Amino acid sequence: MSIYYKSTRGGQSDMSCSQAIVKGLADDGGLFVPSDIPKIDLPFEKLAKMKYTELAFYIIQKFFPEIDNLKECIESAYDEKFDSKDKVELVERCGVSFLELYHGPTAAFKDMALSLLPYLLTSSAKKSSIDKDIVILAATSGDTGKAALAGFAGVEGTKIVVFFPNDGVSAIQKMQMVTQSESNTCVIGIDGNFDDAQTGVKNIFADNELKEKLSENGFMLSSANSINIGRLVPQIVYYVYSYVKLLSQGKVKDGEKVNFVVPTGNFGNILAGYYAMNMGIPVNKLICASNENNVLFDFISTGVYDRKRELVKTNSPSMDILVSSNLERLLYHLSGGNSGEVKKFMDKLSSEGSYSVGQDIKNKLSLFYGGFTSEDQTLETIKYAYENCSYLMDTHTAVAYKVYEDYKKSTGDDTYTVIASTASPFKFTKSVSTAIGMDADEDEFQLMYELSKESSVKVPYGLDGIEKKEIVHKTTCGKQSMENVLSDFLGVK
Ligand SMILES: *Cc1c(COP(=O)(O)O)cnc(C)c1O
Protein backbone atom coordinates (compact mmCIF):
# COMPACT_ATOMS: atom_id res chain seq x y z
CA MET A 1 0.00 0.00 0.00
CA SER A 2 1.45 3.32 -0.93
CA ILE A 3 1.65 6.33 1.30
CA TYR A 4 -0.23 9.55 0.61
CA TYR A 5 -0.79 12.81 2.48
CA LYS A 6 -3.88 14.50 3.80
CA SER A 7 -4.75 17.64 5.69
CA THR A 8 -5.24 17.48 9.45
CA ARG A 9 -8.44 19.51 8.89
CA GLY A 10 -9.92 17.13 6.34
CA GLY A 11 -10.11 19.50 3.36
CA GLN A 12 -7.52 17.70 1.25
CA SER A 13 -6.52 14.08 0.84
CA ASP A 14 -4.74 11.88 -1.68
CA MET A 15 -1.83 14.27 -2.10
CA SER A 16 1.47 12.76 -3.15
CA CYS A 17 4.50 13.51 -1.00
CA SER A 18 5.85 15.87 -3.68
CA GLN A 19 2.63 17.85 -3.75
CA ALA A 20 2.61 18.04 0.04
CA ILE A 21 6.22 19.25 0.14
CA VAL A 22 5.71 21.87 -2.57
CA LYS A 23 2.48 23.18 -1.04
CA GLY A 24 3.80 23.26 2.55
CA LEU A 25 0.42 24.09 4.05
CA ALA A 26 -2.89 22.53 2.92
CA ASP A 27 -5.46 24.81 1.27
CA ASP A 28 -7.79 24.51 4.28
CA GLY A 29 -5.04 25.79 6.58
CA GLY A 30 -4.28 22.33 7.94
CA LEU A 31 -0.95 20.53 8.02
CA PHE A 32 -0.12 17.51 5.88
CA VAL A 33 0.09 14.16 7.66
CA PRO A 34 0.94 10.75 6.19
CA SER A 35 -1.97 8.35 5.60
CA ASP A 36 -0.04 5.80 7.66
CA ILE A 37 3.10 5.92 9.73
CA PRO A 38 5.32 3.27 8.14
CA LYS A 39 6.94 0.59 10.33
CA ILE A 40 10.60 -0.25 10.71
CA ASP A 41 10.90 -3.65 9.02
CA LEU A 42 14.56 -4.50 9.64
CA PRO A 43 16.15 -5.75 12.89
CA PHE A 44 17.67 -2.96 15.00
CA GLU A 45 21.07 -4.65 14.91
CA LYS A 46 21.02 -4.28 11.14
CA LEU A 47 20.13 -0.59 11.38
CA ALA A 48 22.94 -0.13 13.91
CA LYS A 49 25.48 -1.07 11.23
CA MET A 50 24.27 1.64 8.85
CA LYS A 51 25.96 5.00 8.36
CA TYR A 52 23.77 8.01 9.21
CA THR A 53 23.09 8.71 5.53
CA GLU A 54 22.14 5.06 4.88
CA LEU A 55 19.75 5.07 7.80
CA ALA A 56 18.34 8.40 6.62
CA PHE A 57 17.65 6.87 3.23
CA TYR A 58 16.01 3.81 4.78
CA ILE A 59 13.65 5.91 6.94
CA ILE A 60 12.90 8.81 4.60
CA GLN A 61 12.13 6.72 1.50
CA LYS A 62 9.32 5.07 3.45
CA PHE A 63 7.67 8.49 3.74
CA PHE A 64 8.80 9.98 0.44
CA PRO A 65 8.90 7.07 -2.05
CA GLU A 66 8.30 9.45 -4.97
CA ILE A 67 11.57 11.36 -4.62
CA ASP A 68 13.55 9.26 -7.05
CA ASN A 69 16.91 10.92 -6.50
CA LEU A 70 16.54 10.68 -2.70
CA LYS A 71 19.94 9.04 -2.24
CA GLU A 72 21.67 11.95 -3.98
CA CYS A 73 19.58 14.46 -2.03
CA ILE A 74 20.72 12.88 1.23
CA GLU A 75 24.36 12.68 0.17
CA SER A 76 24.34 16.37 -0.82
CA ALA A 77 22.63 17.43 2.40
CA TYR A 78 24.67 15.50 4.93
CA ASP A 79 28.15 15.97 3.53
CA GLU A 80 31.28 17.54 5.01
CA LYS A 81 29.24 20.61 5.96
CA PHE A 82 28.74 18.60 9.14
CA ASP A 83 31.79 18.54 11.37
CA SER A 84 30.94 15.13 12.80
CA LYS A 85 31.57 11.95 10.82
CA ASP A 86 28.27 10.54 12.11
CA LYS A 87 26.43 13.88 11.54
CA VAL A 88 25.15 13.74 15.13
CA GLU A 89 26.99 12.81 18.33
CA LEU A 90 25.73 10.81 21.28
CA VAL A 91 27.65 11.85 24.40
CA GLU A 92 27.10 10.22 27.80
CA ARG A 93 27.43 12.63 30.75
CA CYS A 94 25.58 13.15 34.02
CA GLY A 95 24.03 9.66 33.67
CA VAL A 96 22.20 10.45 30.43
CA SER A 97 23.09 10.56 26.75
CA PHE A 98 23.07 13.94 25.06
CA LEU A 99 22.11 13.65 21.43
CA GLU A 100 24.05 16.56 19.94
CA LEU A 101 22.15 17.77 16.89
CA TYR A 102 24.25 20.87 16.33
CA HIS A 103 27.21 19.68 14.27
CA GLY A 104 25.87 21.17 11.04
CA PRO A 105 26.93 24.38 9.29
CA THR A 106 25.03 26.82 11.52
CA ALA A 107 25.58 25.07 14.86
CA ALA A 108 21.90 24.50 15.69
CA PHE A 109 19.60 21.52 15.21
CA LYS A 110 17.60 23.18 12.43
CA ASP A 111 20.43 22.16 10.09
CA MET A 112 19.28 18.53 10.40
CA ALA A 113 16.15 19.32 8.39
CA LEU A 114 17.07 22.49 6.51
CA SER A 115 20.12 20.90 4.89
CA LEU A 116 17.85 18.40 3.17
CA LEU A 117 14.71 20.43 2.51
CA PRO A 118 16.05 22.39 -0.50
CA TYR A 119 16.82 19.16 -2.34
CA LEU A 120 13.45 17.63 -1.45
CA LEU A 121 11.74 20.81 -2.58
CA THR A 122 13.47 21.10 -5.97
CA SER A 123 13.00 17.41 -6.65
CA SER A 124 9.32 17.63 -5.68
CA ALA A 125 8.80 20.68 -7.88
CA LYS A 126 10.20 18.78 -10.87
CA LYS A 127 7.93 15.84 -10.08
CA SER A 128 4.95 18.19 -10.00
CA SER A 129 6.02 19.67 -13.36
CA ILE A 130 6.74 23.08 -11.88
CA ASP A 131 9.34 24.79 -14.03
CA LYS A 132 9.70 27.98 -12.00
CA ASP A 133 12.49 29.01 -9.71
CA ILE A 134 11.45 28.55 -6.11
CA VAL A 135 11.84 31.66 -3.97
CA ILE A 136 11.97 30.90 -0.27
CA LEU A 137 10.78 33.72 1.99
CA ALA A 138 11.58 33.69 5.67
CA ALA A 139 11.22 36.00 8.63
CA THR A 140 13.60 35.05 11.39
CA SER A 141 14.43 35.87 14.97
CA GLY A 142 17.81 34.20 14.52
CA ASP A 143 18.33 30.46 14.11
CA THR A 144 15.92 29.53 11.32
CA GLY A 145 17.09 32.27 8.96
CA LYS A 146 20.70 31.23 9.00
CA ALA A 147 19.93 27.51 8.76
CA ALA A 148 17.63 28.15 5.80
CA LEU A 149 20.27 30.39 4.14
CA ALA A 150 22.92 27.72 4.56
CA GLY A 151 20.57 25.04 3.25
CA PHE A 152 19.45 26.89 0.13
CA ALA A 153 22.72 28.71 -0.65
CA GLY A 154 23.90 27.69 -4.10
CA VAL A 155 21.08 25.19 -4.68
CA GLU A 156 20.12 25.43 -8.34
CA GLY A 157 16.56 26.51 -9.11
CA THR A 158 16.11 28.26 -5.75
CA LYS A 159 16.53 31.71 -4.25
CA ILE A 160 16.23 32.60 -0.61
CA VAL A 161 15.24 35.91 0.94
CA VAL A 162 15.51 36.38 4.70
CA PHE A 163 14.13 39.31 6.69
CA PHE A 164 15.37 39.87 10.23
CA PRO A 165 14.65 42.62 12.79
CA ASN A 166 17.67 44.94 12.71
CA ASP A 167 17.95 45.20 16.46
CA GLY A 168 16.30 41.92 17.36
CA VAL A 169 19.03 39.33 16.83
CA SER A 170 22.35 38.75 18.56
CA ALA A 171 25.60 40.07 17.08
CA ILE A 172 26.69 36.53 16.26
CA GLN A 173 23.38 35.63 14.63
CA LYS A 174 23.40 38.80 12.54
CA MET A 175 26.97 38.22 11.39
CA GLN A 176 26.12 34.63 10.48
CA MET A 177 23.42 35.86 8.12
CA VAL A 178 24.92 38.96 6.51
CA THR A 179 28.11 37.11 5.53
CA GLN A 180 26.29 34.47 3.44
CA SER A 181 28.02 34.88 0.09
CA GLU A 182 26.11 32.90 -2.58
CA SER A 183 24.34 34.98 -5.21
CA ASN A 184 20.97 33.26 -4.78
CA THR A 185 20.76 34.60 -1.21
CA CYS A 186 19.36 37.91 -0.01
CA VAL A 187 19.37 39.09 3.61
CA ILE A 188 17.59 42.23 4.76
CA GLY A 189 17.47 43.90 8.15
CA ILE A 190 14.16 45.63 8.73
CA ASP A 191 13.42 48.58 10.97
CA GLY A 192 10.99 46.84 13.28
CA ASN A 193 10.70 43.80 15.50
CA PHE A 194 10.26 40.13 14.68
CA ASP A 195 6.47 40.43 14.48
CA ASP A 196 6.83 43.19 11.87
CA ALA A 197 9.12 40.96 9.82
CA GLN A 198 6.71 38.05 10.14
CA THR A 199 3.68 40.18 9.24
CA GLY A 200 5.50 41.58 6.22
CA VAL A 201 6.27 38.09 4.95
CA LYS A 202 2.68 36.96 5.50
CA ASN A 203 1.45 40.00 3.56
CA ILE A 204 3.70 39.10 0.65
CA PHE A 205 2.33 35.55 0.63
CA ALA A 206 -1.22 36.92 0.63
CA ASP A 207 -0.60 39.41 -2.22
CA ASN A 208 -2.06 37.66 -5.28
CA GLU A 209 -1.14 40.47 -7.65
CA LEU A 210 2.50 40.25 -6.67
CA LYS A 211 2.43 36.46 -6.89
CA GLU A 212 0.97 36.69 -10.39
CA LYS A 213 3.72 39.11 -11.44
CA LEU A 214 6.39 36.85 -9.99
CA SER A 215 4.87 33.88 -11.77
CA GLU A 216 5.02 35.70 -15.13
CA ASN A 217 8.69 36.23 -14.44
CA GLY A 218 9.32 32.56 -13.67
CA PHE A 219 9.24 32.61 -9.87
CA MET A 220 7.16 30.76 -7.31
CA LEU A 221 7.09 31.67 -3.61
CA SER A 222 7.52 29.01 -0.97
CA SER A 223 8.38 28.74 2.69
CA ALA A 224 10.87 26.75 4.73
CA ASN A 225 8.70 26.85 7.81
CA SER A 226 8.71 23.94 10.25
CA ILE A 227 5.15 23.01 9.32
CA ASN A 228 6.40 21.59 6.00
CA ILE A 229 6.32 17.79 6.12
CA GLY A 230 9.68 17.94 4.33
CA ARG A 231 11.17 19.35 7.52
CA LEU A 232 9.55 16.90 9.89
CA VAL A 233 10.50 13.59 8.31
CA PRO A 234 14.31 14.11 8.25
CA GLN A 235 14.11 14.66 12.01
CA ILE A 236 12.78 11.14 12.65
CA VAL A 237 16.11 9.71 11.55
CA TYR A 238 18.16 10.82 14.55
CA TYR A 239 15.72 9.28 17.04
CA VAL A 240 16.11 5.91 15.34
CA TYR A 241 19.85 6.50 15.05
CA SER A 242 20.30 7.24 18.74
CA TYR A 243 18.28 4.19 19.80
CA VAL A 244 20.24 1.72 17.70
CA LYS A 245 23.48 3.40 18.75
CA LEU A 246 22.59 2.91 22.44
CA LEU A 247 21.88 -0.70 21.59
CA SER A 248 25.27 -1.25 20.00
CA GLN A 249 26.95 0.56 22.91
CA GLY A 250 25.25 -1.93 25.25
CA LYS A 251 23.42 0.83 27.14
CA VAL A 252 19.99 -0.67 26.42
CA LYS A 253 18.80 -4.13 25.42
CA ASP A 254 16.89 -4.83 22.23
CA GLY A 255 13.30 -3.76 22.83
CA GLU A 256 14.06 -1.89 26.09
CA LYS A 257 12.27 1.43 26.28
CA VAL A 258 14.01 4.81 26.57
CA ASN A 259 12.90 8.36 27.41
CA PHE A 260 13.55 11.26 25.06
CA VAL A 261 13.68 14.78 26.47
CA VAL A 262 13.17 17.58 23.94
CA PRO A 263 13.46 21.36 24.42
CA THR A 264 10.33 22.40 22.59
CA GLY A 265 9.04 25.44 20.71
CA ASN A 266 6.98 24.69 17.63
CA PHE A 267 6.62 21.01 18.62
CA GLY A 268 8.39 19.78 15.46
CA ASN A 269 11.34 18.05 17.05
CA ILE A 270 9.38 16.16 19.69
CA LEU A 271 6.71 15.20 17.14
CA ALA A 272 9.45 13.53 15.08
CA GLY A 273 10.17 11.48 18.22
CA TYR A 274 6.51 10.49 18.32
CA TYR A 275 6.72 9.37 14.70
CA ALA A 276 9.88 7.35 15.47
CA MET A 277 7.99 5.63 18.30
CA ASN A 278 5.13 4.78 15.96
CA MET A 279 7.64 3.36 13.49
CA GLY A 280 8.72 0.93 16.19
CA ILE A 281 11.31 2.62 18.44
CA PRO A 282 10.56 1.57 22.06
CA VAL A 283 9.68 4.73 24.01
CA ASN A 284 8.61 5.09 27.63
CA LYS A 285 8.07 8.88 27.86
CA LEU A 286 8.45 11.82 25.54
CA ILE A 287 9.41 14.64 27.87
CA CYS A 288 8.46 18.07 26.58
CA ALA A 289 10.61 20.85 28.08
CA SER A 290 9.58 24.52 27.92
CA ASN A 291 10.94 27.80 29.22
CA GLU A 292 8.77 30.43 30.91
CA ASN A 293 6.52 30.37 27.84
CA ASN A 294 4.97 27.24 29.28
CA VAL A 295 1.84 26.81 27.14
CA LEU A 296 2.71 23.21 26.39
CA PHE A 297 3.33 22.35 30.04
CA ASP A 298 -0.18 23.61 30.83
CA PHE A 299 -1.64 21.71 27.90
CA ILE A 300 -0.04 18.40 28.80
CA SER A 301 -1.07 18.76 32.45
CA THR A 302 -4.65 19.95 31.92
CA GLY A 303 -5.74 19.26 28.33
CA VAL A 304 -6.41 22.98 27.89
CA TYR A 305 -4.41 24.93 25.31
CA ASP A 306 -4.49 28.62 26.09
CA ARG A 307 -2.37 31.08 24.18
CA LYS A 308 -3.91 34.15 25.83
CA ARG A 309 -0.81 35.34 27.65
CA GLU A 310 2.18 37.60 27.09
CA LEU A 311 5.13 36.22 25.20
CA VAL A 312 8.17 36.35 27.49
CA LYS A 313 11.63 37.00 26.02
CA THR A 314 13.94 34.38 27.55
CA ASN A 315 17.55 33.23 27.37
CA SER A 316 16.38 30.26 25.27
CA PRO A 317 14.87 32.43 22.50
CA SER A 318 14.30 29.67 19.95
CA MET A 319 11.56 28.35 22.23
CA ASP A 320 9.82 31.68 22.79
CA ILE A 321 6.58 30.74 21.14
CA LEU A 322 2.91 30.71 22.12
CA VAL A 323 1.36 28.76 19.27
CA SER A 324 3.13 25.47 18.67
CA SER A 325 1.99 24.74 15.12
CA ASN A 326 3.01 21.10 14.96
CA LEU A 327 0.81 20.20 17.92
CA GLU A 328 -2.01 20.11 15.38
CA ARG A 329 -0.48 16.98 13.89
CA LEU A 330 -0.33 15.30 17.30
CA LEU A 331 -4.00 16.13 17.93
CA TYR A 332 -4.85 14.55 14.60
CA HIS A 333 -3.07 11.33 15.47
CA LEU A 334 -4.29 11.13 19.07
CA SER A 335 -7.88 11.69 17.95
CA GLY A 336 -7.58 8.69 15.65
CA GLY A 337 -7.53 10.84 12.53
CA ASN A 338 -10.66 12.80 13.44
CA SER A 339 -10.11 15.85 11.23
CA GLY A 340 -13.51 17.34 12.12
CA GLU A 341 -12.43 17.50 15.76
CA VAL A 342 -9.02 18.96 14.90
CA LYS A 343 -10.68 21.65 12.79
CA LYS A 344 -12.92 22.56 15.73
CA PHE A 345 -9.90 22.92 18.06
CA MET A 346 -8.04 25.10 15.57
CA ASP A 347 -11.09 27.27 14.85
CA LYS A 348 -11.53 27.81 18.59
CA LEU A 349 -7.85 28.63 18.97
CA SER A 350 -8.10 31.36 16.36
CA SER A 351 -11.46 32.77 17.46
CA GLU A 352 -11.16 32.46 21.26
CA GLY A 353 -7.45 31.89 21.85
CA SER A 354 -7.93 28.53 23.56
CA TYR A 355 -9.42 25.05 23.26
CA SER A 356 -9.89 22.06 25.50
CA VAL A 357 -9.51 18.41 24.46
CA GLY A 358 -11.77 15.57 25.63
CA GLN A 359 -10.95 12.78 28.07
CA ASP A 360 -9.90 10.34 25.35
CA ILE A 361 -7.12 12.58 24.00
CA LYS A 362 -6.20 13.59 27.55
CA ASN A 363 -5.61 9.95 28.45
CA LYS A 364 -3.41 9.47 25.42
CA LEU A 365 -1.38 12.57 26.36
CA SER A 366 0.02 10.57 29.29
CA LEU A 367 2.72 9.37 26.90
CA PHE A 368 4.08 12.91 27.33
CA TYR A 369 5.43 14.62 30.42
CA GLY A 370 5.61 18.40 30.43
CA GLY A 371 7.89 20.62 32.49
CA PHE A 372 9.41 24.08 32.36
CA THR A 373 12.23 26.13 33.86
CA SER A 374 12.75 29.70 34.97
CA GLU A 375 15.53 31.89 33.58
CA ASP A 376 17.67 31.43 36.68
CA GLN A 377 17.20 27.67 36.75
CA THR A 378 18.39 27.48 33.15
CA LEU A 379 21.62 29.29 33.99
CA GLU A 380 22.13 27.32 37.22
CA THR A 381 21.76 24.10 35.26
CA ILE A 382 24.47 25.14 32.80
CA LYS A 383 26.77 25.84 35.74
CA TYR A 384 25.88 22.57 37.48
CA ALA A 385 26.54 20.40 34.40
CA TYR A 386 29.75 22.25 33.63
CA GLU A 387 31.15 21.86 37.14
CA ASN A 388 29.86 18.38 37.95
CA CYS A 389 29.81 16.56 34.61
CA SER A 390 32.39 18.61 32.65
CA TYR A 391 29.72 19.23 30.05
CA LEU A 392 29.13 22.60 28.43
CA MET A 393 25.57 23.02 27.20
CA ASP A 394 23.57 25.80 25.64
CA THR A 395 20.48 27.36 27.22
CA HIS A 396 17.94 25.25 25.29
CA THR A 397 19.64 22.00 26.22
CA ALA A 398 19.82 23.20 29.82
CA VAL A 399 16.04 23.68 29.86
CA ALA A 400 15.68 20.05 28.77
CA TYR A 401 18.19 18.71 31.27
CA LYS A 402 16.62 20.57 34.19
CA VAL A 403 13.13 19.37 33.28
CA TYR A 404 14.49 15.82 33.14
CA GLU A 405 16.03 16.17 36.62
CA ASP A 406 12.66 17.36 37.93
CA TYR A 407 10.90 14.47 36.20
CA LYS A 408 13.27 11.91 37.70
CA LYS A 409 12.86 13.35 41.18
CA SER A 410 9.09 13.39 41.04
CA THR A 411 8.59 9.97 39.40
CA GLY A 412 11.64 7.92 40.39
CA ASP A 413 11.70 6.63 36.81
CA ASP A 414 15.13 5.17 35.99
CA THR A 415 14.51 4.42 32.30
CA TYR A 416 17.58 5.20 30.20
CA THR A 417 17.24 8.73 28.89
CA VAL A 418 18.36 10.68 25.83
CA ILE A 419 18.37 14.49 25.91
CA ALA A 420 18.09 16.30 22.60
CA SER A 421 20.86 18.91 22.56
CA THR A 422 19.70 21.49 20.07
CA ALA A 423 22.37 24.19 19.86
CA SER A 424 26.07 24.67 20.35
CA PRO A 425 26.85 26.59 23.56
CA PHE A 426 28.73 29.08 21.37
CA LYS A 427 25.53 30.17 19.66
CA PHE A 428 24.47 31.60 22.99
CA THR A 429 27.89 32.64 24.21
CA LYS A 430 26.75 35.48 26.41
CA SER A 431 24.26 33.49 28.50
CA VAL A 432 26.53 30.46 28.72
CA SER A 433 29.61 32.47 29.79
CA THR A 434 27.57 34.34 32.38
CA ALA A 435 26.18 31.04 33.68
CA ILE A 436 29.59 29.52 34.33
CA GLY A 437 30.79 32.67 36.08
CA MET A 438 32.92 34.33 33.41
CA ASP A 439 33.07 38.06 32.97
CA ALA A 440 30.67 38.50 30.06
CA ASP A 441 31.09 42.22 29.42
CA GLU A 442 33.34 41.80 26.40
CA ASP A 443 32.13 41.91 22.86
CA GLU A 444 30.37 38.72 21.92
CA PHE A 445 32.89 37.58 19.32
CA GLN A 446 35.83 37.93 21.67
CA LEU A 447 33.84 36.20 24.36
CA MET A 448 33.40 33.19 22.09
CA TYR A 449 37.16 32.59 22.10
CA GLU A 450 37.39 33.22 25.84
CA LEU A 451 34.68 30.64 26.41
CA SER A 452 36.56 28.19 24.24
CA LYS A 453 39.76 28.73 26.23
CA GLU A 454 37.96 28.38 29.54
CA SER A 455 36.04 25.23 28.59
CA SER A 456 38.56 23.60 26.21
CA VAL A 457 35.69 23.11 23.75
CA LYS A 458 36.40 24.16 20.16
CA VAL A 459 34.42 26.99 18.60
CA PRO A 460 32.26 25.34 15.86
CA TYR A 461 33.79 25.89 12.42
CA GLY A 462 30.70 27.82 11.25
CA LEU A 463 31.33 30.45 13.92
CA ASP A 464 35.12 30.42 14.07
CA GLY A 465 36.54 33.60 12.52
CA ILE A 466 33.09 34.91 11.66
CA GLU A 467 33.93 38.42 12.89
CA LYS A 468 36.50 38.71 10.09
CA LYS A 469 34.23 37.60 7.27
CA GLU A 470 33.14 40.01 4.58
CA ILE A 471 29.72 41.54 5.08
CA VAL A 472 27.84 40.89 1.86
CA HIS A 473 24.32 41.97 2.73
CA LYS A 474 23.97 45.60 3.76
CA THR A 475 20.41 46.34 2.70
CA THR A 476 18.00 47.52 5.32
CA CYS A 477 14.44 48.65 4.76
CA GLY A 478 11.35 49.96 6.48
CA LYS A 479 8.66 47.43 7.25
CA GLN A 480 6.47 48.90 4.51
CA SER A 481 8.99 48.32 1.72
CA MET A 482 9.63 44.60 2.01
CA GLU A 483 7.80 43.84 -1.25
CA ASN A 484 9.91 46.37 -3.15
CA VAL A 485 13.14 44.92 -1.85
CA LEU A 486 12.00 41.46 -2.90
CA SER A 487 11.07 42.65 -6.41
CA ASP A 488 14.40 44.45 -6.76
CA PHE A 489 16.35 41.34 -5.79
CA LEU A 490 14.44 39.22 -8.30
CA GLY A 491 14.71 41.89 -10.99
CA VAL A 492 10.93 42.04 -11.36
CA LYS A 493 9.49 45.41 -12.32
C1 LIG B 1 13.98 25.66 16.93
C2 LIG B 1 14.71 25.29 18.16
C3 LIG B 1 14.09 24.58 19.21
C4 LIG B 1 12.62 24.19 19.18
O1 LIG B 1 12.35 23.15 18.28
P1 LIG B 1 10.86 22.89 17.78
O2 LIG B 1 10.96 21.83 16.73
O3 LIG B 1 10.36 24.20 17.23
O4 LIG B 1 10.06 22.44 18.96
C5 LIG B 1 14.86 24.24 20.31
N1 LIG B 1 16.15 24.61 20.41
C6 LIG B 1 16.78 25.30 19.43
C7 LIG B 1 18.20 25.69 19.61
C8 LIG B 1 16.09 25.66 18.26
O5 LIG B 1 16.73 26.36 17.30
Side-chain angles (χ1 to χ4, degrees):
M1 202 190 64
S2 69
I3 193 164
Y4 60 94
Y5 288 82
K6 46 191 180 179
S7 165
T8 46
R9 301 187 194 177
Q12 257 174 327
S13 54
D14 296 335
M15 304 288 280
S16 70
C17 67
S18 315
Q19 288 168 317
I21 292 170
V22 169
K23 285 190 76 67
L25 197 67
D27 289 338
D28 61 357
L31 275 57
F32 286 113
V33 280
S35 50
D36 256 310
I37 299 181
K39 293 276 180 275
I40 290 170
D41 53 4
L42 285 177
F44 290 141
E45 61 183 76
K46 202 151 186 179
L47 302 184
K49 295 202 178 79
M50 292 183 180
K51 288 198 295 200
Y52 189 87
T53 45
E54 291 166 342
L55 185 67
F57 178 73
Y58 170 74
I59 299 290
I60 299 171
Q61 57 89 27
K62 289 186 179 303
F63 287 88
F64 300 154
E66 249 197 324
I67 310 281
D68 28 46
N69 61 340
L70 183 62
K71 238 187 195 128
E72 286 156 52
C73 294
I74 290 172
E75 295 290 341
S76 312
Y78 303 116
D79 63 2
E80 56 287 351
K81 290 194 290 293
F82 283 74
D83 71 356
S84 153
K85 179 174 68 61
D86 296 329
K87 313 308 164 196
V88 298
E89 300 274 332
L90 200 60
V91 179
E92 193 177 53
R93 294 284 163 84
C94 303
V96 295
S97 279
F98 289 92
L99 175 60
E100 296 180 351
L101 303 171
Y102 57 75
H103 293 282
T106 78
F109 103 98
K110 294 202 168 53
D111 288 330
M112 298 309 300
L114 280 166
S115 300
L116 185 57
L117 183 67
Y119 299 100
L120 296 177
L121 203 53
T122 45
S123 181
S124 297
K126 252 186 226 133
K127 208 75 213 181
S128 313
S129 306
I130 292 167
D131 56 359
K132 298 191 170 29
D133 273 12
I134 298 174
V135 182
I136 300 293
L137 283 192
T140 187
S141 55
D143 283 353
T144 306
K146 177 59 189 182
L149 280 167
F152 283 91
V155 175
E156 218 171 296
T158 74
K159 297 194 187 295
I160 172 149
V161 182
V162 171
F163 295 96
F164 71 90
N166 246 333
D167 300 316
V169 300
S170 78
I172 291 178
Q173 286 176 320
K174 182 168 177 173
M175 202 59 181
Q176 273 191 300
M177 292 190 274
V178 296
T179 56
Q180 190 77 48
S181 59
E182 289 78 359
S183 62
N184 70 330
T185 66
C186 174
V187 180
I188 301 134
I190 70 149
D191 304 325
N193 58 24
F194 172 64
D195 281 336
D196 296 325
Q198 177 129 292
T199 306
V201 165
K202 280 191 184 150
N203 289 345
I204 294 176
F205 274 114
D207 186 339
N208 287 326
E209 202 180 312
L210 176 72
K211 278 197 290 200
E212 188 64 32
K213 200 165 69 178
L214 293 180
S215 176
E216 283 163 13
N217 285 272
F219 297 112
M220 183 187 122
L221 295 181
S222 185
S223 126
N225 210 291
S226 86
I227 51 176
N228 194 312
I229 190 73
R231 266 187 71 175
L232 185 66
V233 168
Q235 297 181 349
I236 301 169
V237 178
Y238 48 74
Y239 287 95
V240 178
Y241 182 84
S242 62
Y243 186 79
V244 298
K245 198 92 185 172
L246 288 178
L247 211 59
S248 59
Q249 291 173 349
K251 299 210 166 100
V252 299
K253 293 195 200 65
D254 201 333
E256 186 181 335
K257 290 182 175 178
V258 297
N259 297 324
F260 287 105
V261 191
V262 187
T264 297
N266 223 358
F267 211 78
N269 199 358
I270 194 166
L271 185 73
Y274 175 79
Y275 275 46
M277 184 189 93
N278 281 282
M279 291 188 81
I281 295 300
V283 171
N284 175 52
K285 283 275 179 203
L286 292 170
I287 299 173
C288 174
S290 306
N291 59 28
E292 288 177 6
N293 297 295
N294 57 2
V295 192
L296 287 167
F297 162 76
D298 288 346
F299 176 66
I300 291 167
S301 338
T302 65
V304 178
Y305 195 96
D306 187 353
R307 62 147 204 217
K308 295 183 307 253
R309 56 185 92 193
E310 282 294 310
L311 183 76
V312 185
K313 265 182 102 81
T314 72
N315 54 22
S316 46
S318 304
M319 291 151 64
D320 292 347
I321 223 166
L322 291 181
V323 178
S324 299
S325 316
N326 273 294
L327 190 63
E328 181 170 344
R329 286 192 169 106
L330 182 71
L331 292 172
Y332 176 86
H333 293 298
L334 294 186
S335 69
N338 187 340
S339 48
E341 201 174 9
V342 174
K343 186 170 170 358
K344 258 189 240 152
F345 294 147
M346 293 304 124
D347 287 346
K348 273 199 93 175
L349 184 64
S350 81
S351 62
E352 294 167 31
S354 70
Y355 61 85
S356 166
V357 299
Q359 196 55 46
D360 185 40
I361 291 183
K362 237 182 113 174
N363 292 345
K364 290 185 186 153
L365 276 175
S366 63
L367 164 66
F368 293 83
Y369 172 92
F372 70 98
T373 67
S374 69
E375 292 292 275
D376 287 346
Q377 285 172 333
T378 304
L379 297 182
E380 282 157 19
T381 303
I382 293 173
K383 183 177 165 73
Y384 171 86
Y386 182 63
E387 289 174 355
N388 295 279
C389 320
S390 309
Y391 192 63
L392 190 68
M393 58 175 71
D394 93 293
T395 47
H396 304 75
T397 309
V399 168
Y401 181 60
K402 168 69 174 134
V403 167
Y404 169 65
E405 285 291 312
D406 293 345
Y407 165 79
K408 204 168 63 175
K409 253 188 223 130
S410 75
T411 60
D413 178 24
D414 63 355
T415 303
Y416 196 85
T417 295
V418 175
I419 311 240
S421 178
T422 51
S424 156
F426 293 93
K427 266 212 104 152
F428 300 94
T429 294
K430 215 156 194 136
S431 300
V432 172
S433 318
T434 308
I436 64 170
M438 291 170 60
D439 174 9
D441 283 341
E442 284 184 67
D443 108 328
E444 218 177 319
F445 299 109
Q446 192 51 40
L447 198 55
M448 221 163 52
Y449 304 106
E450 301 286 329
L451 179 61
S452 174
K453 234 187 274 159
E454 155 66 32
S455 63
S456 307
V457 180
K458 259 176 61 183
V459 175
Y461 82 98
L463 298 175
D464 198 1
I466 188 164
E467 71 282 6
K468 297 191 212 90
K469 277 198 176 159
E470 188 197 347
I471 295 176
V472 184
H473 304 277
K474 296 175 183 158
T475 311
T476 61
C477 76
K479 55 189 177 193
Q480 308 300 343
S481 355
M482 290 166 61
E483 285 196 5
N484 298 341
V485 176
L486 174 69
S487 299
D488 281 352
F489 171 64
L490 298 175
V492 174
K493 288 282 161 289

